[in-house]
Amino acid sequence: DGGITQSPKYLFRKEGQNVTLSCEQNLNHDAMYWYRQDPGQGLRLIYYSQIVNDFQKGDIAEGYSVSREKKESFPLTVTSAQKNPTAFYLCASALGWGRGFTEAFFGQGTRLTVV
Amino acid sequence: GENVEQHPSTLSVQEGDSAVIKCTYSDSASNYFPWYKQELGKRPQLIIDIRSNVGEKKDQRIAVTLNKTAKHFSLHITETQPEDSAVYFCAASSRNAGGTSYGKLTFGQGTILTVHP
């Protein structure tokens, strides 16, 4: 189903806790992205990676961290420093700039709620 | 870094009418401009894209135009149908904040399109 999988679909976190969202792809894509979607604000870029062991901050990276140890995986950690973490998180992957940037495929998303 | 502005935020049309959504971008090095459609509760999916060496691209009822000089691009949907109702996002692929690498994909704020039967 699209080759990019996010888990879990729903996640609840207590205030002050860190939580990690999973994103896995089997499309052999170099580039991976994390976006946050809030009502009326579109898709805001948190972090992106063009290659293994390298990643770049997006527009709203504060309070988030990522790793890219494997080509297939790009987990996102929402830390306790993120003041308003309740949102819908979308992961995406694409071939990557060096291979002719083309369509980005999205996962089904993770809805994170702080309780 | 890249800034993508999208207008209007909401658009309501009658079935059969045309719909136009406009976006502007700030990074002159941006060279790939996709449009995504997101239906309620679903993931965004690509509907059409255009590269900077092309001025216009069509796919059945959907077309995209690009004006590199003015740094804006538009989505045109003709003969709209109720199933076109969704949120539409434009995006631009650009450089990172330091200008040292490419592949940053920045999205606009989205347009809620409603097509009334």
Side-chain angles (χ1 to χ4, degrees):
Chain A
D1 185 19
I4 180 165
T5 303
Q6 288 184 244
S7 61
K9 190 173 181 179
Y10 299 96
L11 189 56
F12 297 89
R13 191 196 88 174
K14 293 183 180 179
E15 285 193 29
Q17 287 183 340
N18 292 354
V19 64
T20 298
L21 283 59
S22 171
C23 180
E24 303 276 335
Q25 54 96 3
N26 62 2
L27 300 168
N28 197 31
H29 284 170
D30 289 317
M32 296 188 75
Y33 302 81
W34 274 105
Y35 293 91
R36 171 178 171 146
Q37 187 170 28
D38 296 285
Q41 296 200 49
L43 301 171
R44 293 187 290 168
L45 182 63
I46 304 172
Y47 270 97
Y48 65 107
S49 168
Q50 291 292 304
I51 195 169
V52 174
N53 293 323
D54 184 61
F55 48 83
Q56 306 271 344
K57 288 184 179 180
D59 301 312
I60 57 165
E62 186 176 352
Y64 299 98
S65 66
V66 293
S67 63
R68 188 84 188 276
E69 297 177 359
K70 298 187 301 181
K71 188 175 185 177
E72 300 80 15
S73 178
F74 192 41
L76 173 74
T77 297
V78 184
T79 75
S80 56
Q82 169 51 234
K83 298 306 179 187
N84 185 23
T86 294
F88 187 56
Y89 292 87
L90 283 162
C91 178
S93 71
L95 270 179
W97 193 273
R99 295 169 64 186
F101 198 88
T102 56
E103 176 180 0
F105 291 87
F106 283 84
Q108 290 188 307
T110 293
R111 188 165 297 279
L112 173 64
T113 303
V114 174
V115 296
Chain B
E2 177 71 284
N3 184 42
V4 178
E5 296 286 338
Q6 183 173 346
H7 299 281
S9 57
T10 60
L11 181 58
S12 183
V13 300
Q14 289 296 126
E15 182 177 2
D17 288 348
S18 294
V20 180
I21 302 171
K22 299 181 179 181
C23 288
T24 61
Y25 61 98
S26 59
D27 186 352
S28 57
S30 293
N31 63 0
Y32 175 69
F33 307 92
W35 285 88
Y36 285 79
K37 176 182 180 181
Q38 186 179 28
E39 297 177 346
L40 191 63
K42 297 187 176 180
R43 70 186 83 187
Q45 292 193 303
L46 182 78
I47 54 171
I48 195 167
D49 57 11
I50 191 168
R51 299 183 187 277
S52 58
N53 59 349
V54 176
E56 184 177 5
K57 184 177 178 181
K58 291 182 180 180
D59 184 2
Q60 298 182 7
R61 298 185 297 109
I62 295 173
V64 56
T65 58
L66 172 64
N67 183 326
K68 285 180 59 181
T69 302
K71 290 190 284 187
H72 68 71
F73 56 112
S74 300
L75 176 71
H76 304 254
I77 305 174
T78 59
E79 301 173 17
T80 54
Q81 302 167 2
E83 49 266 39
D84 294 329
S85 297
V87 181
Y88 290 82
F89 294 99
C90 64
S93 180
S94 63
R95 295 171 293 187
N96 66 340
T100 57
S101 69
Y102 289 82
K104 181 182 180 184
L105 189 60
T106 303
F107 282 78
Q109 298 88 341
T111 296
I112 301 172
L113 174 64
T114 304
V115 181
H116 299 282

